[in-house]
């Protein structure tokens, strides 16, 4: 079968189409067929070769499944092609899954235009056909582009977070007592954040503000930073009145982030990676910016040790995506070693920034 791309070449084409889609902000679809035996594969490839357009690409998705890449194609268009292929086959119809990029990957978004609310993309659509074509699938498209967590990274996360929790437990207990003494309400705040492949999770941190604070203030501030070229200054840089007593010290020293070691231990975060964002922040992202979700979010990262609050939102995105594409053991180690000096510099420089403001 000379007219079908190898697995390696097809996945290169898939990633290239994703990059083109990120630049031009158009959608594309992917049909993944799972034939039962070789005769089905041979006829399926012949039918697909006749039905696909010149801009479409056909190749091996893996050693068993055949796939067709459909640029500038909506879920409905991909569904129509899958139906036509199924009707042309004289052999038993294979299972077919339809993916669409970018689709509706944020939880809670509406599923219009034929999409389905899944984690990072529209999943497959079901025809309701008892003869076997098109089975519903909710696998996220993002998982096709993001690699699994490397074993070395997960091993470092488990060992590092467990040791840190054990060694820092007296400090964590002291901070919890202080917060409970100066501010009524829970000690730990659980915030909904967006993590790997656009999945929601509950991020832990020490509560340093009063209960029931207005989140719209932060949302408005963040919206301004996203759509401007201003440095990513924090609201508490000018003494945010919502912060409780001793809260500024806890935040400035990053001690409020230490409960996230539990998120790291659970596999929802890593010691190193892009900071997990709020859902309302993720909804404002341009398509190319969602590439930061290809890796697990972290407690510290390339952005934090490369200027942090002196950088703009766009510069932060470029740093996060650069890490997602270049992550390695040595890069993680370098970032971890730079984190303590970066936190110390933040503690020292914050008072002078407040005076200037």
């Amino acid at each position: 079968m000379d007219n079908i791309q190898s697995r390696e070449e097809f996945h290169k084409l898939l990633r290239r189409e994703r990059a083109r889609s990120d630049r031009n902000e158009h959608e594309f679809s992917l049909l993944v067929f799972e034939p039962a035996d070789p005769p089905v594969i041979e006829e399926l490839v012949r039918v697909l070769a006749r039905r696909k357009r010149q801009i479409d690409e056909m190749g091996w998705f893996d050693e068993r499944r055949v796939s067709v890449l459909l640029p500038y194609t909506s879920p409905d268009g991909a569904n129509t092609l899958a139906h036509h292929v199924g009707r042309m086959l004289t052999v038993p119809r294979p299972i077919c899954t339809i993916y669409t990029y970018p689709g509706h990957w944020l939880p809670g978004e509406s599923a219009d235009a034929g999409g389905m609310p899944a984690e990072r993309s529209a999943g497959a659509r079901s025809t309701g056909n008892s003869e076997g074509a098109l089975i519903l699938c909710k696998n996220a498209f993002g998982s096709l582009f993001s690699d699994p967590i490397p074993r070395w990274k997960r091993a470092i996360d488990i060992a590092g977070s467990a040791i840190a929790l054990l060694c820092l437990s007296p400090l964590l207990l002291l901070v919890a007592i202080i917060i409970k003494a100066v501010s009524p309400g829970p000690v730990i705040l659980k915030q909904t954040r967006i993590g790997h492949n656009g999945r929601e999770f509950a991020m832990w941190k020490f509560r340093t503000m009063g209960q029931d604070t207005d989140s719209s203030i932060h949302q408005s501030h963040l919206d301004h930073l996203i759509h401007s070229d201003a440095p990513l200054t924090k609201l508490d840089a000018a003494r945010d009145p919502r912060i409780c007593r001793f809260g500024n010290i806890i935040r400035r020293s990053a001690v409020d982030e230490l409960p996230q070691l539990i998120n790291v231990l659970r596999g929802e975060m890593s010691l190193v990676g892009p900071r997990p964002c709020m859902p309302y922040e993720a909804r404002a992202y341009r398509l190319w910016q969602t590439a930061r979700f290809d890796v697990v979010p972290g407690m510290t990262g390339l952005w934090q040790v490369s200027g942090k609050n002196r950088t703009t939102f766009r510069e932060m995105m470029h740093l996060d995506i650069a890490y997602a594409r270049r992550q390695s053991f040595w890069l993680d180690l370098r970032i971890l070693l730079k984190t303590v000096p970066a936190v110390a510099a933040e503690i020292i420089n914050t008072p002078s920034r407040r005076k200037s403001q």
Side-chain angles (χ1 to χ4, degrees):
M1 292 179 280
D2 298 330
N3 56 346
I4 183 169
Q5 303 279 0
S6 67
R7 180 183 182 276
E8 293 75 17
E9 188 61 32
F10 185 77
H11 278 267
K12 284 182 184 177
L13 293 169
L14 185 59
R15 290 181 181 275
R16 192 180 306 159
E17 185 60 32
R18 188 233 183 146
R20 188 181 296 123
S21 174
D22 287 347
R23 286 195 306 271
N24 302 331
E25 301 196 346
H26 69 266
E27 67 180 344
F28 67 90
S29 293
L30 183 73
L31 297 182
V32 180
F33 293 92
E34 193 169 340
D37 48 52
V40 177
I41 295 176
E42 292 178 9
E43 181 169 343
L44 174 64
V45 170
R46 286 197 298 270
V47 170
L48 288 172
R50 293 200 302 269
R51 290 294 308 172
K52 73 182 186 70
R53 303 166 298 180
Q54 285 188 336
I55 62 171
D56 299 336
E57 295 287 351
M58 178 170 57
W60 289 101
F61 187 75
D62 52 31
E63 54 276 356
R64 294 188 307 109
R65 293 180 289 177
V66 176
S67 188
V68 183
L69 177 60
L70 306 170
Y72 301 96
T73 304
S74 67
D76 289 333
N79 192 41
T80 300
L81 175 60
H83 273 293
H84 288 168
V85 170
R87 284 197 294 267
M88 293 175 67
L89 290 173
T90 59
V91 293
R93 297 179 182 180
I95 294 172
C96 174
T97 305
I98 302 174
Y99 298 90
T100 302
Y101 183 84
H104 301 275
W105 57 270
L106 276 178
E109 282 195 340
S110 60
D112 54 352
M116 296 194 64
E119 292 153 330
R120 184 162 184 181
S121 73
R125 294 166 58 103
S126 173
T127 63
N129 191 322
S130 61
E131 295 183 23
L134 306 190
I135 301 299
L136 180 66
C137 177
K138 292 184 179 178
N139 291 338
F141 207 136
S143 61
L144 299 180
F145 298 118
S146 60
D147 297 322
I149 303 173
R151 291 183 180 179
W152 60 263
K153 188 175 183 68
R154 187 65 190 129
I156 292 173
D157 286 344
I158 293 172
S161 59
I163 293 170
L165 282 169
L166 186 64
C167 296
L168 296 173
S169 56
L171 174 62
L172 297 175
L173 181 60
L174 176 63
V175 173
I177 292 171
I178 291 172
I179 293 172
K180 198 67 179 175
V182 301
S183 177
V187 170
I188 297 294
L189 177 67
K190 294 182 181 180
Q191 289 183 330
T192 299
R193 297 292 180 109
I194 305 297
H196 194 205
N197 288 329
R199 295 188 184 96
E200 278 190 350
F201 73 98
M203 188 187 79
W204 291 35
K205 62 187 303 183
F206 281 124
R207 182 179 59 83
T208 54
M209 292 188 178
Q211 279 189 287
D212 303 321
T213 53
D214 186 4
S215 63
S216 64
I217 299 173
H218 179 266
Q219 190 168 347
S220 176
H221 176 69
L222 187 61
D223 186 66
H224 165 71
L225 294 175
I226 289 174
H227 297 99
S228 70
D229 207 30
L232 291 169
T233 54
K234 289 186 174 182
L235 278 171
D236 56 2
R239 296 198 180 276
D240 190 337
R242 300 174 300 164
I243 296 176
C244 62
R245 193 180 176 189
F246 302 116
N248 279 314
I249 299 172
I250 295 171
R251 291 164 73 93
R252 199 189 317 162
S253 59
V255 172
D256 63 321
E257 310 287 353
L258 291 179
Q260 289 156 37
L261 290 166
I262 296 172
N263 292 113
V264 174
L265 198 59
R266 292 167 58 173
E268 297 161 333
M269 291 179 62
S270 173
L271 292 175
V272 180
R275 287 297 296 160
C277 68
M278 297 281 200
Y280 56 75
E281 178 186 344
R283 292 190 183 98
Y285 284 179
R286 300 287 298 275
L287 188 53
W288 66 270
Q289 294 167 339
T290 62
R292 76 192 298 270
F293 299 121
D294 289 352
V295 292
V296 180
M299 294 183 66
T300 184
L302 189 59
W303 168 66
Q304 286 89 333
V305 299
S306 302
K308 195 177 178 181
N309 296 333
R310 298 193 303 274
T311 63
T312 65
F313 178 79
R314 188 178 182 85
E315 289 170 338
M316 180 192 74
M317 281 295 173
H318 282 297
L319 288 167
D320 286 344
I321 294 171
Y323 173 80
R325 291 173 178 167
R326 293 166 38 207
Q327 71 167 332
S328 67
F329 171 80
W330 296 111
L331 179 58
D332 276 24
L333 183 61
R334 199 160 78 241
I335 290 171
L336 287 170
L337 291 175
K338 287 183 175 181
T339 296
V340 174
V343 172
E346 180 72 13
I347 295 172
I348 294 168
N349 294 332
T350 298
S352 60
R353 281 203 303 267
R354 281 180 178 162
K355 285 180 181 178
S356 65
Q357 288 179 354

